[in-house]
Amino acid sequence: MSKQIQLRGRIFLEFNLHAVSGLHIGGSEVGVEIGGVDKTVIRDPLTNRPYIPGSSLKGKVRSLLEKYEGLPQNQSIGQKVSIHTCDTSEKYATCDVCQVFGVPGERDFGTPTRLVVRDVQMTAESIARLEENGRTDLPYTEVKTEVSIDRVTSAANPRQMERVPAGTVFGPAELVYSIYEGDGCDSQRDVERFARLVEGLVLLEDDYLGGLGSRGSGKVRLAQIQVKLRSRNELLQPAQLLGQFDALEQLVAALPQLQEQIRDQLAQA
């Protein structure tokens, strides 16, 4: 049976992502030379600069929300990694995480994934700072050495890991949240679910992004936040700015008002 679903509007959440501590988002380790860095960061092949893949940011926020909700990890995605995905239409209908972040294509009850997360590049200011004044070990990055100690022999096993230095800023990050109406979709519920995404970002600030987080890496902070809306009858117009916030706490405080603004704009579309 065919579905009829209509796009009602899109919310654009933009912000700069500040690396409060060193940031390690792993890249390919193929070809690492003997004596070289054990764990490298992912880099843009054209500029050779580290960046934050949208998949890493989206996956981390989803994972944190799954833990927050206590959802079962029932879908293997390889390499001994499992995530949560709903396996029945009844569960899916009430699962904000799967509605926002998506379910595998083979689920015939799925509706469009609400959230798109773009890759995030370094800001021009951070690039200039690192090129002109940065005392980095590798282009745009530092090498952090960690030493594990054998509990019996006390033998040391040093390892080197590449990180983007603390103080680096990536941005603007862009998260696009779509609002749908139709079979299996309720635009009013989608506006309510936008709060889930903001909750996930709060969890991210409390946790870490990338690897080595339990050892100090990956603390991030959101700043220069903007929330914009483009309703379905304004697709050829610039997105309308709904609010600007210096920090995530301010966005959280203004969220009910923002949701009311979004409902009003969609009602006029």
Side-chain angles (χ1 to χ4, degrees):
M1 184 177 65
S2 63
K3 294 181 178 178
Q4 185 171 2
I5 296 173
Q6 183 182 49
L7 175 68
R8 295 296 310 280
R10 284 189 165 130
I11 303 170
F12 298 85
L13 180 56
E14 299 175 357
F15 52 84
N16 281 348
L17 197 66
H18 292 242
V20 179
S21 64
L23 180 64
H24 173 89
I25 296 182
S28 171
E29 297 179 18
V30 176
V32 173
E33 298 178 355
I34 295 174
V37 178
D38 296 319
K39 292 184 178 299
T40 59
V41 300
I42 190 166
R43 292 175 180 269
D44 185 311
L46 292 180
T47 64
N48 200 35
R49 295 172 191 140
Y51 73 102
I52 299 174
S55 58
S56 297
L57 184 55
K58 183 180 180 183
K60 181 65 180 186
V61 174
R62 176 176 187 144
S63 172
L64 292 168
L65 283 170
E66 289 177 2
K67 290 177 184 174
Y68 179 68
E69 296 289 341
L71 298 173
Q73 306 297 289
N74 56 353
Q75 175 78 36
S76 174
I77 56 174
Q79 298 181 338
K80 301 180 180 180
V81 176
S82 296
I83 65 172
H84 167 77
T85 62
C86 291
D87 50 11
T88 67
S89 58
E90 290 77 15
K91 294 177 182 175
Y92 178 73
T94 60
C95 180
D96 289 345
V97 171
C98 286
Q99 295 269 352
V100 172
F101 291 88
V103 292
E106 59 266 27
R107 302 282 199 269
D108 58 4
F109 51 76
T111 54
T113 301
R114 306 307 195 272
L115 181 63
V116 172
V117 182
R118 314 284 192 202
D119 292 346
V120 195
Q121 306 290 338
M122 282 184 184
T123 63
E125 292 78 9
S126 279
I127 292 170
R129 284 183 60 199
L130 289 168
E131 289 180 344
E132 296 169 7
N133 304 312
R135 298 175 181 175
T136 56
D137 304 291
L138 296 170
Y140 307 101
T141 62
E142 63 182 0
V143 175
K144 180 174 182 283
T145 300
E146 296 184 350
V147 180
S148 58
I149 305 295
D150 187 288
R151 272 57 170 176
V152 177
T153 66
S154 297
N157 177 33
R159 298 172 296 172
Q160 292 188 320
M161 300 164 188
E162 187 180 17
R163 304 193 311 178
V164 175
T168 303
V169 182
F170 293 83
E174 184 183 56
L175 279 56
V176 184
Y177 182 89
S178 297
I179 300 169
Y180 293 104
E181 187 69 58
D183 292 337
C185 299
D186 182 335
S187 59
Q188 295 298 313
R189 283 286 297 128
D190 279 349
V191 176
E192 292 176 21
R193 287 192 185 102
F194 180 64
R196 279 284 184 253
L197 176 57
V198 176
E199 289 175 351
L201 295 174
V202 172
L203 292 170
L204 176 64
E205 281 197 347
D206 291 344
D207 204 88
Y208 61 88
L209 180 64
L212 318 175
S214 66
R215 303 200 294 275
S217 299
K219 180 176 175 58
V220 295
R221 177 173 58 82
L222 277 61
Q224 295 88 48
I225 303 168
Q226 291 189 342
V227 180
K228 301 176 182 177
L229 174 70
R230 182 183 285 131
S231 58
R232 64 180 297 272
N233 62 351
E234 298 174 331
L235 288 181
L236 299 183
Q237 304 297 323
Q240 180 181 351
L241 180 64
L242 300 182
Q244 299 185 82
F245 311 95
D246 293 332
L248 192 54
E249 293 83 356
Q250 296 175 8
L251 170 58
V252 171
L255 187 56
Q257 182 181 350
L258 280 173
Q259 289 173 301
E260 198 58 40
Q261 285 181 262
I262 294 167
R263 291 189 187 95
D264 290 343
Q265 293 293 326
L266 294 181
Q268 299 171 20

